[in-house]
Amino acid sequence: MIPLSAATLKTESWQRQLANAFNRVEDLLSYLELGDQLEPSMKAASRAFGFRVTRFFASLMEKGNVDDPLLRQVLPLGAELEDTPGFSTDPLADQASHQGNGLLHKYHGRALLITTGACAINCRYCFRRHFPYADHQATPSHWQPLLQQLQQHTDISEVILSGGDPLSLGNTRLGALIEQLQQIPHLKRLRIHSRLPVVLPQRLDQGLARILGHCRLPMSLVLHINHPGEISTELIRALGPLRRQGVILLNQAVLLHSVNDSVGIQVRLAEELFQAGVLPYYLHQLDRVRGAAHFAVEDEQAAALHQAMQARLPGYLLPRLVREVPGAHSKLALSMSQNE
Ligand SMILES: *Cc1c(COP(=O)(O)O)cnc(C)c1O
Ligand code: SF4
């Protein structure tokens, strides 16, 4: 149980900040002094997939710059409404591999739990932009059957809390879920995939640190940072307590046209992640989701970029360049997926 304390008050404040996120494109543009750039197609795109950006994430953007790499990740564009061949609403066939309420078991030994459909920001390239969360998320009422299912699958050694964004759950719910998970004897590791600390570092509050610190399972937190401009001093400070508790910090990024598709940016990202105590894990080729085609980088260009990164970075700072292929037993290294 989380006692009512200073930590709880802090929790309320990140929740208030979530509630105060920008949810109208024109408000963000006006905050960024780009007021006259709103086009009707932006509004239409934001109706197709909701618009949402925390004020903290917006504060990391450069005012007056419509090409800001952070802004590009969240700004709805008319291009999203185009139907490009090869880009579908369920690119990973997740709806087929989903096991029951919110459990995705695609890879050996690992099960991914969709704890919630909510995110603190809506990234325009998101592969789940069409995912029917309401049908598939593991809301607390679904936890019991789901925990039973995990109990029975003794081959599962790692549970990944994902979403949406699992850290958009409050500490009470998250703590209760983790408490139940750690009682499953065959689990050896727990992992959290979250972008929330990046767009709202206050989320990493004392209550959360306490929950993670008390868990018997070794933990990793996989952040989602695409550009060095997202590594704020607030984030670095907020990660400190988790590092000291032995939580392994990793990062996955998505390779995005005009956001981070240059060697210089990728090298800076890797180096600045390390400064923050985070190791690069994956660099994902974009999942081919409808509405995100304008973010795609050609495979040849991606492979060349990765080679150039390898020539400049120590091996431990080189993320694996991967693509997700429906039906495969793991994420595939790009060179392998190209040979298919
Ligand atoms: C990406 C993913 C994982 C984790 O894969 P790792 O290679 O272990 O990081 C697990 N389950 C699903 C369904 C995934 O999409
Ligand atoms: S935070 Fe992650 S799940 Fe949420 S919209 Fe962004 S990429 Fe998608």
Side-chain angles (χ1 to χ4, degrees):
M1 288 303 293
I2 314 295
L4 194 67
S5 66
T8 318
L9 294 176
K10 251 186 164 173
T11 300
E12 280 175 4
S13 95
W14 71 258
Q15 280 161 327
R16 231 191 335 266
Q17 290 192 56
L18 263 191
N20 285 335
F22 288 109
N23 55 18
R24 292 184 345 151
V25 186
E26 52 269 44
D27 294 342
L28 175 64
L29 290 179
S30 126
Y31 164 79
L32 291 174
E33 296 161 13
L34 291 166
D36 51 1
Q37 308 255 358
L38 182 68
E39 294 154 22
S41 59
M42 291 179 173
K43 276 222 95 97
S46 71
R47 272 194 296 270
F49 174 51
F51 173 79
R52 191 175 171 78
V53 182
T54 60
R55 284 168 198 267
F56 180 80
F57 196 66
S59 78
L60 303 176
M61 297 171 189
E62 187 193 352
K63 290 204 170 166
N65 179 9
V66 76
D67 295 322
D68 181 273
L70 277 56
L71 176 60
R72 282 193 62 84
Q73 296 176 50
V74 296
L75 185 65
L77 294 178
E80 293 176 29
L81 303 168
E82 286 164 24
D83 196 358
T84 310
F87 286 74
S88 80
T89 55
D90 184 21
L92 308 180
D94 271 354
Q95 291 180 47
S97 54
H98 132 278
Q99 295 269 304
N101 295 318
L103 191 67
L104 283 172
H105 187 191
K106 288 208 241 182
Y107 301 154
H108 180 81
R110 287 149 288 168
L112 187 145
L113 217 66
I114 297 177
T115 51
T116 167
C119 286
I121 68 170
N122 282 348
C123 312
R124 307 315 297 178
Y125 54 84
C126 182
F127 72 102
R128 294 220 164 104
R129 49 181 290 155
H130 306 283
F131 196 75
Y133 280 111
D135 303 338
H136 294 305
Q137 66 190 5
T139 56
S141 61
H142 297 138
W143 285 355
Q144 238 26 64
L146 194 127
L147 289 160
Q148 270 164 17
Q149 210 175 330
L150 286 171
Q151 289 271 11
Q152 285 154 12
H153 274 280
T154 51
D155 58 316
I156 293 174
S157 49
E158 179 171 10
V159 168
I160 301 167
L161 303 185
S162 182
D165 200 310
L167 293 185
S168 54
L169 296 177
N171 286 340
T172 310
R173 275 191 180 185
L174 197 66
L177 178 62
I178 291 176
E179 175 63 34
Q180 303 232 50
L181 286 170
Q182 67 171 335
Q183 287 171 21
I184 299 176
H186 53 267
L187 290 190
K188 297 195 182 109
R189 298 180 298 280
L190 189 64
R191 191 188 326 176
I192 297 178
H193 281 182
S194 176
R195 186 149 164 72
L196 227 149
V198 181
V199 301
L200 196 57
Q202 294 85 341
R203 175 63 190 94
L204 298 180
D205 57 13
Q206 290 173 26
L208 182 68
R210 211 174 310 136
I211 289 168
L212 302 187
H214 285 161
C215 183
R216 79 162 172 94
L217 298 164
M219 290 253 191
S220 54
L221 172 63
V222 182
L223 298 166
H224 172 177
I225 300 172
N226 296 319
H227 188 278
E230 295 168 49
I231 307 173
S232 61
T233 47
E234 289 86 346
L235 173 65
I236 296 172
R237 208 177 309 128
L239 289 172
L242 300 189
R243 284 174 66 190
R244 286 191 288 279
Q245 283 178 337
V247 176
I248 304 293
L249 302 176
L250 301 168
N251 184 59
Q252 50 186 346
V254 181
L255 185 57
L256 299 167
H257 176 64
S258 287
V259 172
N260 61 7
D261 57 340
S262 87
V263 183
I265 288 171
Q266 287 292 338
V267 166
R268 249 180 69 209
L269 176 61
E271 290 179 341
E272 292 182 24
L273 283 169
F274 184 75
Q275 289 299 118
V278 182
L279 287 175
Y281 179 33
Y282 281 141
L283 176 58
H284 291 270
Q285 253 304 37
L286 183 81
D287 294 316
R288 307 210 153 234
V289 65
R290 188 152 87 202
H294 55 293
F295 283 114
V297 176
E298 294 294 327
D299 280 351
E300 298 87 289
Q301 195 200 332
L305 175 82
H306 193 247
Q307 258 180 18
M309 288 163 66
Q310 185 163 19
R312 287 183 45 184
L313 286 166
Y316 62 89
L317 289 188
L318 185 71
R320 296 166 185 79
L321 176 64
V322 291
R323 134 150 314 140
E324 197 154 336
V325 176
H329 296 298
S330 68
K331 318 255 187 262
L332 298 184
L334 197 62
S335 53
M336 283 161 67
S337 68
Q338 272 176 321
N339 292 338
E340 286 201 335

